[in-house]
Amino acid sequence: MSKINASHRKQLWVLPGFLLLLLSFSLQAQDNLFLKGKVTAIKDKGPLGGASVHIKGTTHEIATNDKGEFEFLTRQRFPVVLTVRYVGYETREILVNGPSFIDVQLTESATRLTDVVVVGYATQERKNLVGSVSKIDPAETKTIPEASFDAQLQGKAAGVQINSNIGVPGSDVFIRVRGATSINASNSPLYVIDGVFVSNGSLQNIAQDRATSPIADINPSDIQSIQVLKDAVAIAIYGSRGANGVIIVTTKRGKYGQKAKIEVNANEGLAWAPADRVWKTTTGPEHAMLVNEYRRNSGSNDIPFRPKTEIVNGVPGRGLPEEQPTYDRMRYLNRTAHMRNYDISIQGGSDKTRYYIGGGYSKQESIWRPMGFERASFKVNLDQKINDKVTLGTSNTIGRSYRDQARPANGGNGTLLQASLNIPTYLPIFADDGTPLKWVNFDNIAVLTGTVNLWSTSLHYIGNTYLDISITDKLKFHSSVGLDYNNYEENEYWDTRTILGVSGGKGTQSVTSASTAINEQTLAYNTTISKHSIGVLVGNSIQGTVVKNVSATGTNFPNNSYTQISAAATQTASQFKSNNNLVSFFSRVSYDYDQKYYAEFTARADGSSRFGPNRKWGYFPAIGLSWRVNQEKFLKDVSAVNNLKLRLSYGTTGNQDGIDDFASQGLWTGGYGYGDKVGGAEGPGTAPLQLANLDLHWEKTTQFSGGLDLGLFNDRLSVEFNVYNKYTTDALLRIATPATTGFASYITNYGEISNKGFELSIGAVNIKNKDFSWSTDFNVSRNVNKIEKIPADIPFAGRDLIRLQQGQPLYSYWLYKQLYVDPKTGNAVFEDVTKDGKITAEDRQIVGNTWPKFFGGFNNTLNYKGIDLGIFFTYSYGNQIWNHNRMLGETGGTLDANRVLLASQLNRWTTPGQITETPRLTAENYSRQENSRFLEDGSFLRLRALTLGYTLPRVFTTKYHIQKLRLYVSGNNLLLFTRYKGADPESNLGTGNIQGYDYGVPPQPRAVQFGLNLSL
């Protein structure tokens, strides 16, 4: 690590001087020329306000005003070529020979081929893409009530699997691009926001079971476009960062020559738990009846729910089952949540300057008390043309997020689920004198939901400053300095009424700061020689990350009014610091002949301080080829086919995320005191902590991908089909070591994983005329995951429910396979794998996994005059979910008063001939919690969003100087079709790479919002 720093420290200091030298160049003065014109639509002659007018070969660009007019001065000499662009219209190039009025008429385009797509360190028109890139318009998703924009993308991009935890706003999002490639390292994609690599890793250190998401600190309303890079040739330019896909986010910017435009977006709404997704528990009488039935079936004479006057072994009865009360703890937990979001922005520019300033406020309550999320954000993007050759710009985003947090479930004291769902319903919540009662070593739900015990505040800044220099019309230099800084402060205070605070209260404060600074330079050369187009990009990147934490804990406070740690009788503190550095060099060479045959070669070299001195550097090449078949003579005259392109790519990417910064080094730790003399005080000491691995190196994923793009009838029907094969080698894996080493395990490169699949996207413009349009988008994806090689089976999760096993997919469940319940006896019958006549741990087997066979989204957009309607479904088929809540709630009465019984327990076998999957209430039938009947089908079809809007006619709004006013109502999660018996089929544990494990996750709420979009 020190070698990398030393070798590039001089480069960092030389760069500012070099940039200042370039800025000091004076360009030769030329006579100013005046250009004036108007841009209109050829169809209805209407003005196109906001169209881009650019002098080809320069940085001089302005936008038309509301009347479609433009005018500006330029130092260029006639003749000049104007490039005129407007979203949804064909781009035109116009030769201007002298000072005359320029009348530009644009033709409306139905094709997507001229869409500009952001790729690594460049932009390309879609028709020229060699790689696989999905582009998403955030305007279609920003009203979905998710705190983070990545959760809003679910179902919008083929090959991108997303499961959100919307019931806990501001929490982490499970997202995978073309499967999972790692066991111990991260499987999350790389986020690049305005050129800054942004971490999506949570900074929380106080024990909770739901991780927070730093991506939630970003206001979705500030985003202009989102691209997801998926195949090797698209992501290899990011080398070690791109193995899990890349999400590129471009935020909004003003336009040169555009007058100030103000936009206001506001919405208010309510959310609640769907009635059919709330856990159904037994009543007090039903619970008592089942417990008595279990005791009778077991041959016991001690029937607990009997007359209170009946004493057995000195213990009176609890009363008959029908005498038991029912207490509803869930009403303390569930609530109708309020949501609100307000955004305001102003953008515009002169012929030399453009700007975007935006501010936003969002607040979402969780449907579970007391959780909630609140964000305030501020955004400034500014670009300044120093002259016709040099542009200086900056992007700045700052967000402050506040979270009321809790421990929803997942064991431990203070969890909402245990205090509400898991306590039998016949047990009272309060004593007769009003004192909150605790049962089964669980907290009182009224206490937990009446007080915020956990809360956090994050201050998150993402900034980038760049310099662009057009050395010549064909050679361009770009330099940028970026920073991702997050200061995360979290607190907890458990008062004396809670189990954690029983000894005078307990408080903790933890402050973590993470900063990633990055400096990049690129030099790009593009030229066209006859029918040959050549592009060359070279660049380098230097990145450093530092994470620091200081925390303090106090116990035994004077009373519950004192919550500062300085007031505690016992105080402890701790701290840590970690850092890593990454140095990279990269290049891309692109070529096309006659806009028919395309080739692209990318290479990147990354050096990381995380790896051993022998293997710090990784090399990641990729190559892609494409052929626009429709440009061939035999298809040029086929008017129905406007696009037919074949694509192939092959390349290698790497992964280093998810391991410690010092994973390769032999480490020692302090805090091990020793005594020099018997009875004497201990002196400071150290002890071995970690075994060194000097050969630890990059995890590598090689990907082959093929694709077809088809556009028919001027893209009225468009199809994109991709197949891929990803193979990961040298997986970063923690494996056991012999006890003689003195260490339990160490990180090494051992393991291989494959992902194979396909993606299909179909877009159709079904109807389009003057008053009415209807378009449909559909995508479906399949990924087959398999562990090809590991040294031994690796257990995951409690009770070893998940097992990594060679030849099986990641996240496979290792269970006893219940075949059926014997209709004659009511006993559960399990598969005897060993054929030895008894059921033991040797009979556990891989029963299923969490990977869906298919998943995707289906969207319809309809417009009639000023009315718009959007109908968006997401779906998943063939995935399985472990229903841990059901496992805990169907214990057959064996735990008596120590655990709730769900209403589904009433379906148990009671009479000969009965067909059911729930066995007779006996200890033997309920002694194996790792039972396959709790692994359920998680397939679903969800109406993700239904939006109805109305845009007031311009003839009305222009009277009040309003460009646009749209009113809308939006419903989310209005319908859900699934056979899953738990709260939500998209639930996951929220721990590391584990998915498809439902334990105490709130269901996705059903929500309705009312809002407006206003442009001035």
Side-chain angles (χ1 to χ4, degrees), residues 470-729:
S470 296
I471 301 172
T472 69
D473 290 348
K474 299 177 180 180
L475 184 62
K476 301 182 186 300
F477 173 78
H478 175 88
S479 180
S480 66
V481 178
L483 176 66
D484 175 22
Y485 176 78
N486 195 353
N487 184 276
Y488 186 79
E489 177 189 315
E490 51 188 333
N491 299 269
E492 67 173 348
Y493 183 78
W494 303 92
D495 67 32
T496 53
R497 298 173 300 167
T498 65
I499 294 173
L500 287 170
V502 68
S503 298
K506 177 186 177 181
T508 301
Q509 183 177 70
S510 175
V511 179
T512 304
S513 66
S515 62
T516 297
I518 183 169
N519 171 231
E520 293 185 316
Q521 282 70 235
T522 61
L523 191 65
Y525 177 79
N526 293 279
T527 188
T528 300
I529 304 171
S530 184
K531 295 183 178 181
H532 305 272
S533 296
I534 302 169
V536 180
L537 174 81
V538 294
N540 79 300
S541 174
I542 304 171
Q543 177 181 315
T545 299
V546 179
V547 180
K548 297 186 290 185
N549 171 267
V550 176
S551 64
T553 299
T555 56
N556 196 7
F557 291 79
N559 58 53
N560 289 332
S561 297
Y562 291 84
T563 60
Q564 298 296 306
I565 295 170
S566 58
T570 303
Q571 303 171 22
T572 57
S574 65
Q575 66 176 145
F576 68 79
K577 177 183 177 182
S578 187
N579 64 281
N580 67 79
N581 297 287
L582 184 71
V583 175
S584 307
F585 301 92
F586 51 88
S587 179
R588 177 172 57 220
V589 178
S590 57
Y591 168 81
D592 83 74
Y593 174 74
D594 200 21
Q595 294 196 338
K596 285 194 290 189
Y597 312 111
Y598 295 80
E600 190 170 293
F601 176 76
T602 304
R604 181 164 176 136
D606 288 322
S608 172
S609 63
R610 287 178 169 174
F611 295 119
N614 303 335
R615 307 289 294 273
K616 283 189 180 296
W617 286 89
Y619 303 94
F620 311 105
I623 186 170
L625 304 171
S626 67
W627 174 27
R628 292 188 66 199
V629 185
N630 63 296
Q631 294 297 98
E632 299 289 353
K633 291 181 180 179
F634 60 82
L635 270 180
K636 270 205 167 184
D637 295 331
V638 181
S639 59
V641 181
N642 66 281
N643 180 40
L644 175 59
K645 182 166 65 175
L646 302 177
R647 293 177 282 104
L648 287 174
S649 66
Y650 179 83
T652 301
T653 51
N655 195 356
Q656 63 157 343
D657 289 340
I659 63 171
D660 294 336
D661 288 336
F662 310 107
S664 66
Q665 300 182 26
L667 301 179
W668 290 68
T669 183
Y672 285 81
Y674 67 96
D676 282 332
K677 21 175 131 171
V678 177
E682 286 191 345
T686 60
L689 177 65
Q690 177 178 285
L691 191 64
N693 183 357
L694 303 183
D695 291 314
L696 188 68
H697 56 275
W698 297 91
E699 180 177 286
K700 291 187 176 182
T701 298
T702 301
Q703 181 177 181
F704 170 82
S705 181
L708 177 148
D709 300 333
L710 176 64
L712 300 175
F713 314 112
N714 205 22
D715 267 0
R716 290 290 293 264
L717 178 64
S718 60
V719 178
E720 181 179 342
F721 180 73
N722 294 289
V723 294
Y724 61 88
N725 187 342
K726 299 170 69 174
Y727 199 94
T728 301
T729 57

Side-chain angles (χ1 to χ4, degrees), residues 13-27 386-387 390 467 469 471 477 479:
W13 286 107
V14 170
L15 178 64
F18 174 65
L19 297 180
L20 288 173
L21 179 63
L22 289 171
L23 282 173
S24 68
F25 288 165
S26 60
L27 301 175
I386 307 301
N387 51 47
V390 180
L467 176 71
I469 301 176
I471 301 172
F477 173 78
S479 180

